[in-house]
Every structure is written in C-alpha cells, then in structure tokens.
Amino acid sequence: MKRLAIIILFAAAMTACREVPVVEVETGRTDTLQERNATANRYLSQGEESQISAYIERRGWQMQRLTGGTRVMETRRGTGGRIDYEDTVVVEYDLAALNGAVIYNGVIDTVVAGHLEPTRGLDAALRTLSRDSEAVVIVPSGQAYGVVGDGDRVPTRAILVYKLKVK
C-alpha cells in the first residue's frame, strides 16, 4: 500500500512538472481589418470589371476606358467644344443598372463639370464629351454611389449605365 502511494505521488509530481507549451505570436502578421477590406474591394472591383467587359462585348461596343474603370462611348459627336472643368451644361439622361433595371428616365439636370459628387465616373466621362453630343457611359459602383446606393432608387453596389445627351 505504501508502494502504491509512492507511485501515485511520483506520477502526480511528474505531471505537475510538465512544461506548458509556449504559444508564439506572429509578429510579422499585418492582416488588419483595413487590409482585409481593401482585398475584398479589389475582389469586388475585379468582378465588376468582368461584368462590364462582358456587357460591352455582348453589344459589340467600342468604349474608351477611363481611370477608375468608367467607360464612355460617344454615339453622336457634338458640334460644340469639349466640356472643361467647371463648365455648366444641361444633360438629359436615362439611367439603368447593368442588369437592365430602369432607375430613371428622361432626367434633365444642370451640372457643373468637375463637381458631380458622388458620381465621379459620370463626371470624368462628361469631361471627355463635346457639347451637343450623345453618349453611353458605364460607371462601376466605386465611381458611382458605391456600397450604399443613393438611398432612394439606386441600389447598393450598382453598376450604372447612362444614356446621356449633352444639351
């Protein structure tokens, strides 16, 4: 019995002396929330780019690609001069999502080139056009109303297709 107690005591002492494993913290890891969001945004942007390219290809359009991914194709060349920064112009447009959902029809608006927030893509496309011209403009969501839409009729992450007349 004494021997059994010694064996139990010895076994208990051995398990108590066992080393606790050391957990190493990765010091080189920089995977922050901001970086994960940037990665997700790049992934979404690439998906939108593919959708836009396929849409254009199906229609056989030859469109100019602007910085930021906006596409513009002048369907009728204007007789006036090119629209410059801070020029005031009247535009008439129909707006649809890339999936064909109609958002607005026959909107007439007076705009100042270079000041069209939050639709930076439309603003950039407008400044490639001439007065009295017509164009088709495709704006990726990041250059339009982004993740939240406009809070009214433009849905979240909508790729927008404008049929635009510059008056």
Side-chain angles (χ1 to χ4, degrees):
M1 185 81 154
K2 203 175 195 179
R3 211 179 247 186
L4 182 60
I6 292 175
I7 291 174
I8 291 174
L9 255 167
F10 181 74
M14 291 303 286
T15 57
C17 293
R18 211 172 52 175
E19 286 186 37
V20 176
V22 176
V23 177
E24 293 185 29
V25 177
E26 290 184 45
T27 56
R29 186 174 177 170
T30 58
D31 190 19
T32 65
L33 179 60
Q34 185 177 12
E35 289 170 345
R36 285 182 286 195
N37 285 341
T39 300
N41 285 336
R42 276 191 298 277
Y43 177 76
L44 290 170
S45 178
Q46 289 169 352
E48 284 188 1
E49 182 68 27
S50 297
Q51 291 174 28
I52 293 169
S53 294
Y55 183 87
I56 293 168
E57 187 177 320
R58 283 192 305 271
R59 283 154 183 74
W61 289 345
Q62 298 297 315
M63 299 190 88
Q64 177 186 0
R65 186 181 193 283
L66 306 177
T67 303
T70 296
R71 306 297 206 298
V72 61
M73 178 179 69
E74 201 167 33
T75 56
R76 186 177 64 83
R77 186 160 304 278
T79 56
R82 184 154 316 271
I83 298 168
D84 289 324
Y85 181 74
E86 294 195 337
D87 281 354
T88 300
V89 294
V90 175
V91 294
E92 180 179 349
Y93 63 89
D94 295 333
L95 178 62
L98 193 71
N99 66 8
V102 175
I103 299 171
Y104 293 109
N105 271 324
V107 175
I108 298 174
D109 200 2
T110 302
V111 298
V112 178
H115 297 279
L116 289 177
E117 288 295 329
T119 55
R120 294 182 312 259
L122 177 60
D123 193 50
L126 187 61
R127 289 187 278 146
T128 67
L129 301 174
S130 302
R131 295 177 185 276
D132 299 319
S133 63
E134 295 181 14
V136 175
V137 178
I138 301 175
V139 184
S141 67
Q143 294 290 306
Y145 293 96
V147 174
V148 295
D150 72 349
D152 185 20
R153 298 179 74 178
V154 177
T156 62
R157 289 195 180 108
I159 302 168
L160 303 177
V161 180
Y162 288 87
K163 291 186 179 170
L164 181 70
K165 295 177 185 176
V166 181
K167 304 277 184 176

